[in-house]
Amino acid sequence: MVQNVMLTSAANATNGSKPYIVEDRPMMSRSSGDRVKITHTIEPGKDETGCLTCFYSPPEYPILAKCPCYDYPEYIINEINSSRYIYIRENSIEYNQPTLQPAKAETPLATVLCCGNSPTTLIVRDQISTIYFDDVLMESVRNDTRWCNPLHTFCCGGRGEEVRLESRFCWDSCYRGRGIGTEQCGLLNCIFNCCVPCVPVVCPDCLCPCAARKTIYVEDAETAVKIISKARDDARIRLQVMER
């Protein structure tokens, strides 16, 4: 009986180690059926509040972070920084750019007064995205860090350097739309009730987030662009070899 179980486990491990091929969408294929290979990791950017912020808010009073001289409590800042990651996988890029949210209320009074949220405790809200290398967003990968970023960060705060994934057309004057129903279009959704097919590059994200563009905050944008571009190109070369 024990021998049969061991043989079954060994067979499963062997099958799982074989390449996993998806014929209908080759980019979803993996070199091993039971795992996804991580080829690189990129150091993510960190939130900085600027020179006016001198203190962490006390854990019991996170509302003080709304004042110019206070940041959020140190414990939640550390949790957010620890939750960030950027993984370059064999067929995609996965990253987490977390934010914060109120924790669940722990007393009946707080539940009633704060609509179920804790008035004093904050927790991490993960925002994980996975973009495969055949996505239209991977058409262009570039360094989009603002000018004089260290000075801007010192004065006004920042999130690190910026890597922009995007798809443009019409002499780079417009972003491609992400298609009807794929994302909420913010204020324009009230007008068009769908995602627009193209978005001028001057249109900000808050007006039309359905544009084919994503920003990833990293510590070193130039290095990140090289790593992402090479991983994308290598994945496309592997697909060409598989199709032959």
Side-chain angles (χ1 to χ4, degrees):
M1 182 64 180
V2 175
Q3 184 178 5
N4 291 336
V5 172
M6 294 179 62
L7 291 175
T8 302
S9 301
N12 291 337
T14 302
N15 293 335
S17 62
K18 293 181 179 180
Y20 176 76
I21 307 299
V22 181
E23 295 183 357
D24 293 328
R25 189 181 176 189
M27 189 59 75
M28 302 291 291
S29 302
R30 303 189 298 270
S31 59
S32 180
D34 59 355
R35 64 183 63 89
V36 178
K37 182 189 297 183
I38 297 175
T39 60
H40 295 88
T41 60
I42 297 175
E43 190 67 26
K46 296 182 179 179
D47 291 341
E48 298 187 35
T49 53
C51 61
L52 295 180
T53 303
C54 303
F55 309 101
Y56 290 111
S57 301
E60 299 82 6
Y61 302 100
I63 191 64
L64 288 178
K66 301 299 181 182
C67 300
C69 294
Y70 285 89
D71 198 357
Y72 285 99
E74 186 175 11
Y75 76 89
I76 192 65
I77 298 297
N78 292 338
E79 287 185 20
I80 289 177
N81 289 333
S82 298
S83 301
R84 289 190 173 93
Y85 66 83
I86 304 173
Y87 294 153
I88 307 301
R89 310 192 301 189
E90 57 185 314
N91 56 7
S92 60
I93 176 173
E94 177 183 324
Y95 61 96
N96 187 18
Q97 298 187 149
T99 182
L100 51 82
Q101 64 182 355
K104 184 175 69 174
E106 298 180 354
T107 64
L109 180 60
T111 300
V112 173
L113 296 180
C114 301
C115 301
N117 295 321
S118 171
T120 59
T121 306
L122 301 172
I123 58 175
V124 173
R125 176 187 176 188
D126 293 308
Q127 294 181 321
I128 299 172
S129 299
T130 300
I131 304 174
Y132 284 85
F133 291 136
D134 62 349
D135 193 285
V136 68
L137 285 171
M138 300 304 300
E139 180 180 312
S140 174
V141 182
R142 64 183 181 87
N143 182 356
D144 196 39
T145 304
R146 58 189 175 179
W147 291 99
C148 299
N149 184 59
L151 179 61
H152 279 93
T153 301
F154 175 78
C155 295
C156 306
R159 303 180 64 183
E161 298 186 357
E162 300 179 22
V163 172
R164 175 62 65 91
L165 312 179
E166 62 187 12
S167 178
R168 296 188 185 188
F169 69 105
C170 193
W171 298 281
D172 287 343
S173 63
C174 293
Y175 293 112
R176 289 181 172 83
R178 295 291 281 170
I180 296 174
T182 56
E183 295 185 46
Q184 295 296 322
C185 283
L187 296 177
L188 293 183
N189 189 48
C190 300
I191 302 174
F192 295 99
N193 198 31
C194 68
C195 289
V196 293
C198 67
V199 180
V201 295
V202 297
C203 185
D205 290 342
C206 61
L207 289 180
C208 196
C210 63
R213 59 185 173 190
K214 291 288 184 183
T215 299
I216 303 176
Y217 295 95
V218 301
E219 187 176 273
D220 183 354
E222 287 294 337
T223 301
V225 168
K226 292 178 182 178
I227 292 175
I228 296 172
S229 298
K230 185 177 186 306
R232 176 200 61 191
D233 296 341
D234 289 346
R236 292 174 177 176
I237 292 173
R238 285 197 302 270
L239 288 183
Q240 294 175 358
V241 173
M242 290 171 54
E243 291 173 355
R244 292 175 181 174

